[in-house]
Amino acid sequence: MWNKMFIQKSSVQQKMLIAFACLVLFPLGLFSYISLAITKQTIEEQVVAEKSKSLRSISQKLEIMASDLTAISNIYFSNEDLRVLLLSNPGDQAYQERVKKQFLTKMIVSYRYAYTWLDYYTSIIGFNGIELHTFYDGPKIGVDALKKEPWYPEVLRLDGGVLWYSDPSVKMRATVNEDHYISAMRLIKDFENNTTIGLMLINIGESFLYKQYEDVLQEQESMLIFDNQGKIVSATDKAKVGGNIGTYPYYERFSDQGEHFKIKIDGTDMLVTHRVMGSTGWTIVCYTPMDMLLKNVDKMKWLNIFLLGAVLILSFIVSYIIARRLSVPIRKLFASMKKVEMGDLRERSDVSGNDEIGELAKRFNQMITRIEELHGLVIEEQEMKRKVELQNLQSQINTHFLYNTLASIRSMLVTHPPEMIDSVVVSLVKLLKKSLSAESEYITIAEELDNLKHYVNIQSARQDGKLSVEFDVDERILHYKTLKLLLQPLVENAIFHGIEPKGEAGFIRIRGWAEHDCICFTVADNGVGFDAGLVSADPAENALPASGGLGLANVKHRMQLHFGTECGIEIVIPPDGGTMVMVRWPMFMRVEELKRQ
């Protein structure tokens, strides 16, 4: 379909323009696409490597934080003064208050400032009712309230091991002075009998966690940290803190083997990198918008599109100039060929040049010159052949016909009245005058019929009244032209080969009419007729019989020479006997009309 609708019907210039465009557009477009794809992939790989490095650095800081907090809890866990305080009599309030103040001053505060980079809060709640808080001196929280929290069975199961938990109790918020915090919780044991004497919580506020990663965030990036229960413990967007990431549709992808993936969040393509901490089980997640990563790639894309468009326009201009220089001479040469095809052999191409097209135009002009010369020779040869044919026909008539006619007149001198003899002589004179004249071989049908009537008058006298000839010709065709001596041989053939062998009176009917821009004539006789075997089996061939006589063969040859091979003679054998000969030629009034047909 494409080949038929476009390739075959487009001009050379259009084909060259599109060929140039395809040769430029396809390679450059493919190169630009591949280069942009490689650049995009490279940038993504570099960003993933950079973000993984950043997350590793944050993870290391948080691992150190967790390690230091565990070390601090170990100091408290093994402190003898704390054990004595938590084993003291709950009823000795004065003693407990004095020892608590000493412990706070000596242990908690001094240890806190030993790790100056940490911003943590310690809460120790004994089963004997004592509570120690770093910077809190409000109402007691009570160990019974904490035992009701969902995490407490896990603390018991660890039996002195550290449990990391986010926002373990609303009641503990006052000790941290923040809504969201992380706690490292563990039971305090009596080493002598391994009994549980208290609960220790070392708390880190969400603001401290945020400070550990806020300096690595770039523009439009966001980050969050969630624990092994999916609870968000810290985030750039504070509204997300305390929520559960398990409700997010992409939560399961964090369990994949890779450390990054791409998703669409709120209509924005995001690169998500993540890393899991070993000691706490937390997952650090970084969200990087893809358009931020690929903004330089987008600039390159538009630059490539601009360059591609500029190159395409330039290639169109160059290809148009080249194609025009090639197609214009080709179109001129084609136009010259069309004129020659229409018969104008005077046409010459004005295309010049030293290239193949110029050489082709030169050869074309030489060919047309040679064709014109040959055409002139052919026309001259045809004219000579026509004159020879006419002369042969005239010589045939002048010898045989003149001899027979004079012999008939000689015999008529004895048996016929002078008036009839005079009529035959007059007809003979007029017929010879017309046939021997040097005028054109084309005459009107009226003149041809006038000559034919003179000939019929002579032949009727020779047949001594045994020949009857009838003319049935449409008067509307009389002014059209025909060949001189075209119909006379047909009548002559009917007389000498049809009626005379019959030995009795004969009848000839001559009809003429116009049909489909052609002149048609039939000469029918009731003579002996043709042998059916001598006439071609195929009427379309219109062939003459081998014994049809020199007159019929001459007429056929002259008609094809003047009117074309499609014209000729058709012989029909009527079912009631006799013969009918039909001729047909183009309708014309001037010879110029005949040459255009």
Side-chain angles (χ1 to χ4, degrees), residues 151 155 161-165 168 183-187 199-201:
W151 45 264
V155 173
V162 178
L163 172 66
W164 294 92
Y165 204 87
S183 295
M185 302 178 292
R186 65 188 304 182
L187 296 176
L199 179 65
M200 178 173 53
L201 296 91

Side-chain angles (χ1 to χ4, degrees), residues 68 72 109-120 208:
D68 288 351
I72 293 171
V109 177
S110 60
Y111 285 154
R112 187 177 189 277
Y113 286 104
Y115 295 88
T116 55
W117 75 280
L118 288 173
D119 188 10
Y120 67 95
F208 178 79

Side-chain angles (χ1 to χ4, degrees), residues 39-52:
T39 302
K40 181 179 178 181
Q41 183 178 0
T42 303
I43 290 176
E44 288 184 9
E45 291 175 353
Q46 290 175 349
V47 170
V48 168
E50 179 185 348
K51 296 306 172 185
S52 297

Side-chain angles (χ1 to χ4, degrees), residues 269-282:
D269 291 326
M270 288 284 186
L271 174 65
V272 181
T273 51
H274 56 93
R275 184 179 180 85
V276 179
M277 293 176 55
S279 60
T280 61
W282 299 345

Side-chain angles (χ1 to χ4, degrees), residues 442 479-481 517 519 562-563 566 585-597:
Y442 297 105
H479 59 285
Y480 291 103
K481 289 193 175 184
D517 295 330
I519 300 298
H562 287 269
F563 302 136
E566 66 276 6
W585 66 87
M587 185 183 295
F588 69 100
M589 297 182 65
R590 295 188 300 273
V591 179
E592 291 77 10
E593 298 178 16
L594 181 64
K595 291 181 178 180
R596 288 198 297 266
Q597 294 180 357

Side-chain angles (χ1 to χ4, degrees), residues 134-348:
T134 306
F135 298 113
Y136 174 73
D137 195 21
K140 288 184 178 183
I141 297 173
V143 71
D144 293 333
L146 297 180
K147 288 181 179 180
K148 297 177 181 179
E149 296 293 343
W151 45 264
Y152 188 75
E154 182 65 17
V155 173
L156 292 176
R157 187 187 67 81
L158 293 175
D159 193 25
V162 178
L163 172 66
W164 294 92
Y165 204 87
S166 59
D167 298 334
S169 177
V170 176
K171 295 181 178 181
M172 294 293 296
R173 288 179 180 175
T175 65
V176 183
N177 200 26
E178 288 191 44
D179 290 337
H180 300 282
Y181 58 96
I182 296 295
S183 295
M185 302 178 292
R186 65 188 304 182
L187 296 176
I188 301 175
K189 309 287 287 188
D190 183 2
F191 294 107
E192 292 183 358
N193 53 21
N194 200 31
T195 58
T196 302
I197 58 177
L199 179 65
M200 178 173 53
L201 296 91
I202 300 179
N203 306 314
I204 294 290
E206 189 275 333
S207 59
F208 178 79
L209 293 178
Y210 177 71
K211 290 178 183 179
Q212 308 310 306
Y213 60 82
E214 66 173 340
D215 56 339
V216 301
L217 289 174
Q218 297 183 5
E219 184 182 0
Q220 299 181 7
E221 280 190 333
S222 61
M223 192 174 290
L224 60 81
I225 302 173
F226 64 89
D227 60 18
N228 49 14
Q229 281 82 39
K231 189 173 184 180
I232 299 174
V233 299
S234 180
T236 307
D237 183 3
K238 302 306 177 185
K240 294 182 179 180
V241 180
N244 197 313
I245 200 171
T247 60
Y248 291 12
Y250 55 89
Y251 174 70
E252 294 182 355
R253 301 194 63 175
F254 288 111
S255 60
D256 295 341
Q257 295 295 326
E259 294 183 349
H260 71 278
F261 56 87
K262 289 186 288 187
I263 56 172
K264 187 180 288 292
I265 300 177
D266 297 331
T268 303
D269 291 326
M270 288 284 186
L271 174 65
V272 181
T273 51
H274 56 93
R275 184 179 180 85
V276 179
M277 293 176 55
S279 60
T280 61
W282 299 345
T283 301
I284 309 170
V285 185
C286 180
Y287 298 91
T288 306
M290 294 297 296
D291 55 357
M292 182 194 77
L293 298 180
L294 303 178
K295 59 183 179 181
N296 292 330
V297 177
D298 290 337
K299 291 180 181 179
M300 290 179 59
K301 179 181 71 175
W302 289 112
L303 179 61
N304 284 341
I305 292 175
F306 173 77
L307 292 177
L308 185 62
V311 172
L312 185 61
I313 293 173
L314 181 62
S315 67
F316 262 115
I317 294 173
V318 173
S319 61
Y320 177 80
I321 295 173
I322 296 175
R324 185 170 179 81
R325 288 185 177 181
L326 291 176
S327 64
V328 169
I330 292 175
R331 285 202 298 266
K332 288 183 178 180
L333 187 58
F334 177 74
S336 298
M337 290 181 177
K338 291 292 289 184
K339 290 182 180 179
V340 172
E341 182 183 3
M342 298 300 294
D344 186 5
L345 296 179
R346 295 171 299 177
E347 175 66 20
R348 296 294 183 274

